[in-house]
Amino acid sequence: MPHTEPTFAPGRILVFNLLGALLVWSWLSPGLMFWTELDDAVFFATNAWLTEDNETWVLFVAAVNNRLFDVVSLMILLAIYLWAISRDPDPTHRMLRWGGIGVTMLLTAVFIAQGFRMVVPYTHPSPTLVYDNVNLITEMVDFSTKDSSGSSFPGDHGVNLFLFTAFMWRFAGLRVMLVSAVFAVLLSAPRILSGAHWFSDVFFAALMINLIVTPWILLTPVAPGLSRAITAGLVKARNALPSR
């Protein structure tokens, strides 16, 4: 979905929304236990690896769930963002235009986060708080890390990472999107490995939210129009600065 495509694509919106609806059906259907069984299988398998016999693995999982790793994640996304800018063939106000895209993405993230919690009040605790006698990395290392959450649904990291991937697809093209998608999976994995999130918090909830909501922002004039308006404001503000 590069930025040269039409700003309104109802066919694609329908396809993505149908995929999101299919995920919702798989979650709500009383005859299916797919997500419950998958969540349990992933949690018990990964939690079984967190033992004193696997000290190196425990230290790794604890490290990638430390707050400092969030900075590393941000730097990776920034590198992808700068790569996307460098690939933009239109040099006219390129940095300011991508500034407008970035601000639009941040506003979209806030809108999705606040809107989802208003519309869907449901949440649940992480698996480490649901099951007893589990391995907790917070008890195995002497530095700050995370292995639990009282409200793990949906996975906020996953929502934002998939949103970033969608924006890269829309404005930077397929290649940047694919790289973004790989890192979306990798960077959302730490919370699952530590037990702070269920597998479905990311690969059902975060993905479903983006499939249903994001197309109405990216495949309509909303995101392109808002980013252009912000860019125009940035250009105007730069031109108003006194020249040296």
Side-chain angles (χ1 to χ4, degrees), residues 8 32 77 80 137 188 196 202 207 227 233 240:
F8 183 56
L32 292 178
L77 297 183
I80 296 174
I137 56 174
S188 62
V202 175
L207 190 58
S227 65

Side-chain angles (χ1 to χ4, degrees), residues 130-148:
V130 171
Y131 293 110
D132 297 324
N133 302 317
V134 297
N135 299 317
L136 301 174
I137 56 174
T138 51
E139 297 178 354
M140 301 181 190
V141 298
D142 57 3
F143 56 86
S144 176
T145 188
K146 183 174 183 178
D147 60 15
S148 65

